[in-house]
Amino acid sequence: MTAVDDLVRGRTQQDGRDVEFILSIPSFAELASYLRGVPRDREQEQTRARQRLFDEVAQFDGAGMSLDKARSLLAYPHLLGDIFSARNRFHDAARQQGRLYALCPGCKTAEAELSFMDLLLRLRMSPPPLTTPDGIWLPPPGLSERYKLVLGMRRGDLPVAQQIRFELPSARMGFGAAKRPTGGIMAKLDPASDEASLEHYWPDGSHTSGERPWWYREGPLFRALVRITTAVARFDRGPKPSPVGLEALPAIDVEYLDMAVIAMQLTDEPPEDKLAPGLVQRPRNLPVTCPTCQTRYLPLM
């Protein structure tokens, strides 16, 4: 069994028996209706929990998950905790598997690789939360929470990357599909055209469909999908980026793209630390030096 197998398999207890479950890898569209934070009451909590089990668990105790089975499992709080904890570990591992590559603006051939830990330790970004504070519910994308786009601050003394390339977690973890993107190239967001992008995908006179209740002009999920779509210049395969195409990707890929766009475009370059007496200056460790042409640059947009 591989490490990836371990991530999607878990064990719990039901009526004194040791039971195995296998997580599914739902698309963003399959989760979108329930990415709305904490439920407002007990009835909504039960409805969402049942749907979450149906969408996020492929097998339980050797059988496929059904809505009836999901409903019966609501009577076992410890079991739900085990399943949601396994789901959280999987999503956390997935976003750590994605990769960013910053192309040197000098030679335009060499790339600097950026891992999840680089974003945390070198860029010092705060990634969007994986779950609500109680650890149960998946939140909407981080870009949905920003009503106005504000690009990150750059000091201006170093050039930024010529381009940012990304590799999606699903492909790197072996969950890819033949015609599905494995990665792509990022595009620069323009705060001045943010509203125009929404208008492009939601022209006047549009109506929300029953299939996509989160699709409406002021909807936070729709806003996030449009922004991520706009921030992707192209995928390495498949049709050109669109909100519909983005929804069809695994949710873990959309979560990663959301974080990657925030990191590369909306996060400030770390400021210089003011020294207190007796402290050693922290080095400026975000810039990279190209091994080919020795150009020093920021691996950001």
Side-chain angles (χ1 to χ4, degrees):
M1 186 178 294
T2 67
V4 172
D5 289 330
D6 290 337
L7 285 173
V8 297
R9 293 176 182 269
R11 305 198 76 84
T12 188
Q13 293 283 321
Q14 184 183 31
D15 298 328
R17 293 189 308 113
D18 189 44
V19 177
E20 183 185 61
F21 59 86
I22 301 176
L23 299 175
S24 63
I25 305 174
S27 69
F28 183 84
E30 289 173 310
L31 300 185
S33 291
Y34 296 92
L35 300 181
R36 302 178 185 177
V38 178
R40 63 176 180 268
D41 54 38
R42 178 68 174 172
E43 180 181 358
Q44 189 179 77
E45 180 182 89
Q46 293 284 298
T47 299
R48 286 197 197 178
R50 184 176 69 248
Q51 190 66 42
R52 291 279 54 76
L53 290 171
F54 178 72
D55 288 332
E56 297 184 49
V57 179
Q59 288 189 20
F60 184 86
D61 198 16
M65 181 60 70
S66 65
L67 284 173
D68 286 340
K69 169 61 74 174
R71 185 181 296 107
S72 71
L73 296 181
L74 298 181
Y76 300 88
H78 70 281
L79 184 152
L80 298 180
D82 290 340
I83 291 176
F84 289 139
S85 292
R87 184 273 316 275
N88 295 346
R89 288 193 297 271
F90 175 68
H91 281 249
D92 185 44
R95 72 176 178 180
Q96 294 188 48
Q97 285 296 312
R99 285 294 184 274
L100 295 167
Y101 299 89
L103 184 65
C104 172
C107 65
K108 298 179 178 58
T109 56
E111 293 179 316
E113 179 178 337
L114 294 169
S115 67
F116 178 72
M117 294 308 295
D118 287 321
L119 302 183
L120 295 188
L121 301 179
R122 294 174 58 194
L123 181 55
R124 298 185 231 170
M125 79 167 295
S126 297
L130 274 176
T131 70
T132 53
D134 57 16
I136 298 175
W137 312 104
L138 296 175
L143 284 169
S144 70
E145 304 298 319
R146 298 168 184 252
Y147 188 74
K148 292 187 66 176
L149 283 181
V150 178
L151 298 180
M153 181 275 297
R154 310 288 180 256
R155 300 185 200 180
D157 59 336
L158 291 175
V160 296
Q162 179 71 19
Q163 75 173 23
I164 299 294
R165 181 170 65 87
F166 57 84
E167 291 180 352
L168 297 172
S170 66
R172 289 179 56 86
M173 298 173 78
F175 298 130
K179 296 182 180 180
R180 204 164 64 207
T182 67
I185 304 297
M186 196 175 289
K188 187 69 177 286
L189 287 173
D190 179 6
S193 62
D194 192 39
E195 286 298 316
S197 297
L198 289 170
E199 178 69 24
H200 174 74
Y201 290 106
W202 190 263
D204 289 340
S206 300
H207 299 282
T208 301
S209 71
E211 294 181 355
R212 293 187 175 92
W214 57 91
W215 274 58
Y216 56 99
R217 177 68 180 271
E218 295 78 20
L221 287 184
F222 179 71
R223 181 165 59 243
L225 284 171
V226 169
R227 285 171 170 174
I228 297 172
T229 297
T230 306
V232 177
R234 64 182 183 275
F235 286 120
D236 60 352
R237 60 190 185 194
K240 69 177 185 179
S242 70
V244 173
L246 205 64
E247 284 183 334
L249 294 179
I252 56 174
D253 288 344
V254 179
E255 289 172 0
Y256 182 74
L257 283 173
D258 177 58
M259 180 184 70
V261 172
I262 292 173
M264 293 293 95
Q265 304 199 43
L266 307 184
T267 301
D268 292 341
E269 180 187 355
E272 293 283 0
D273 291 330
K274 294 182 178 180
L275 293 183
L279 293 184
V280 177
Q281 176 78 41
R282 177 186 286 184
R284 185 184 182 187
N285 62 357
L286 179 61
V288 296
T289 300
C290 175
T292 301
C293 69
Q294 305 305 308
T295 296
R296 188 167 165 80
Y297 67 99
L298 287 177
L300 301 173
M301 293 187 78

